[in-house]
Amino acid sequence: ALGDVCLFRAYVEIGPRISLLIMSAVPPLTAVMGYFFLGERVSIRGLGGMVTTMAGICLVILNRDPYDEGMRLNHPLRGILCACMGALGQASSFIFNKVGIGSYNPFAATQIRLSAAMIALVAIITIRRKWAEINTAFGNRGVLKLIILGSVFGSFVGMTCSLIAVKYTAAGIASSISSISPVIIIPISVMVFKEKVHFKEIAGAFVSIIGITLLFW
C-alpha cells in the first residue's frame, strides 16, 4: 500500500514512463534484500547487472548542467523520490511474499495482500483527510471504469501471477521478468499518451533491462 501510494504520486509528478523506468531498480533492490534476508547469492555478473541497471536509470534522469559543469535532474526531485520509495516498497513486498507464501495458494495469498492493502489505504486516507476527494472520484464514471480495469489487470491478475512466479522461482528472477515495463510502455506512451520520447530515454530503458538480465540470468 505504501509503495503504491508513492508510485501513483510519482505518476502525477513525472509521468508513468519515467516512474516505471525508476521502478526497474526493483530487481537490484530485491537481489540485495534477498542476499541479506533469504541467503540468495549474487554473482560478480549480477553485481555488474546492478551497476548497468542503475546506469540506465541515471542516463534518463540526469543531465549535465551547462552552467556549473555538474549534473542536474531532468525531472522534479519530488517525483523521483516518490518513484524510488515505490521501488523500495515493491522490492520489500517480493521478499515478504517469498517468505510468506511457502506452499500456500497464490489466489488466497492475493486475497490476503489485497485485504491488508485495503486496511492500510483506509488508514492513510483517514489520516490525510482525503475522503472528500475519494467521493469526487466515485462520482466520475469514466475515470472509475478505468480505475476498475486497472485494478483487475494490475492488483488481481498481475499480483496473482507475480505470487505464482515468486512461489516457483527465486524472488530476484521473478522481479526481473516483471520489470520489463519501462520498455513495454514506450510504444503505449507514443500511441496513447502522444508523448515525445527521446532517444536517450529509449536507450536508458533498454540499458536497464540489459542490466536486469545480467543480474539474474
Side-chain angles (χ1 to χ4, degrees):
L2 293 173
D4 281 356
V5 166
C6 291
L7 178 59
F8 287 129
R9 185 69 246 176
Y11 286 164
V12 175
E13 297 285 341
I14 58 178
R17 185 165 47 83
I18 303 301
S19 297
L20 289 177
L21 175 62
I22 295 174
M23 289 292 287
S24 64
V26 171
L29 288 172
T30 304
V32 172
M33 291 181 181
Y35 173 80
F36 285 106
F37 297 108
L38 303 179
E40 296 179 353
R41 294 188 177 184
V42 181
S43 64
I44 298 298
R45 185 177 63 179
L47 292 175
M50 290 184 187
V51 174
T52 303
T53 300
M54 301 312 297
I57 296 173
C58 291
L59 179 65
V60 175
I61 67 173
L62 294 178
N63 196 14
R64 182 175 295 277
D65 193 324
Y67 298 102
D68 61 10
E69 296 185 353
M71 301 300 292
R72 63 179 177 84
L73 293 171
N74 283 335
H75 304 278
L77 177 61
R78 179 177 175 179
I80 291 174
L81 289 176
C82 286
C84 290
M85 292 301 295
L88 183 61
Q90 185 155 340
S92 301
S93 84
F94 268 108
I95 299 302
F96 284 122
N97 290 339
K98 181 67 176 180
V99 175
I101 192 169
S103 59
Y104 201 59
N105 184 284
F107 289 97
T110 299
Q111 183 179 15
I112 292 173
R113 283 193 65 181
L114 291 177
S115 299
M118 177 65 72
I119 294 171
L121 285 173
V122 168
I124 292 171
I125 294 169
T126 302
I127 292 171
R128 298 190 62 196
R129 300 179 180 178
K130 295 291 185 179
W131 285 110
E133 295 181 17
I134 298 297
N135 291 333
T136 301
F138 273 98
N140 190 326
R141 292 186 177 181
V143 171
L144 194 59
K145 289 178 182 178
L146 293 175
I147 292 175
I148 291 173
L149 282 174
S151 299
V152 170
F153 287 103
S155 299
F156 177 67
V157 177
M159 188 182 297
T160 302
C161 290
S162 70
L163 287 174
I164 294 173
V166 165
K167 181 176 179 178
Y168 292 107
T169 188
I173 294 176
S175 174
S176 68
I177 295 174
S178 66
S179 295
I180 61 173
S181 301
V183 171
I184 294 176
I185 200 173
I186 290 174
I188 297 174
S189 297
V190 174
M191 293 185 291
V192 178
F193 297 108
K194 310 300 180 182
E195 291 185 4
K196 184 178 181 181
V197 181
H198 300 285
F199 174 77
K200 185 175 74 170
E201 295 172 342
I202 297 175
F206 277 96
V207 168
S208 296
I209 299 303
I210 290 171
I212 294 170
T213 304
L214 289 174
L215 182 57
F216 296 113
W217 297 95

